[in-house]
Amino acid sequence: MKKKIFYLSSIVAMIGMILLVRKKAYNRRFKRVSWELFVRKMQLDAVSRLLYNKNKGIRYSDYIKEIGCNSVVIYGASDVGRLFYDVISEEGITVKFFIDRALGGERVNGIPVIAPTNVVVDDTDVIVVTPTSYFDEIKGELRNQNIKNPILSLEDVIYNIPHNLCDDC
């Protein structure tokens, strides 16, 4: 009888351990998926606000000139970075190049894409980081390379434009 109870309790303990291991694996997978969904939501919010501001008559070129810059370097050559490029280039802002880890050495819309380790910018550039979820990490990397230029998150640009730069606000 004692052996049966021992075997039964051993089986219950093993099942409990298996369930615990599966739960931990599920939680890790869930956290990864949750982060990916959060990043996608941030991108969608940025695109929505970018287009909303454009439709309201906000000119990003005025904002960029107001902060003392004449040209932009866009960090991130994904869909969000390309859309930002389209919007500001329509307004006459020069985009010198994109910075992107995955696309370094290629061209996007005829603009060179440079790897983050090869970045050299002059004093008139502002760097706009489009992957806003990773802004602090990216800004730290650029500062570690002694880049002293202004580094803004795309969120800074699209959410903090002064009302005096809006035609219809």
Side-chain angles (χ1 to χ4, degrees), residues 118-135:
N118 300 332
V119 174
V120 178
V121 292
D122 62 35
D123 292 335
T124 61
D125 295 327
V126 60
I127 299 171
V128 178
V129 177
T130 61
T132 57
S133 304
Y134 303 100
F135 174 72

Side-chain angles (χ1 to χ4, degrees), residues 57-74:
I58 294 174
R59 295 184 44 83
Y60 295 102
S61 58
D62 294 339
Y63 176 71
I64 290 166
K65 289 175 184 170
E66 187 173 277
I67 62 172
C69 297
N70 298 314
S71 60
V72 172
V73 171
I74 300 174

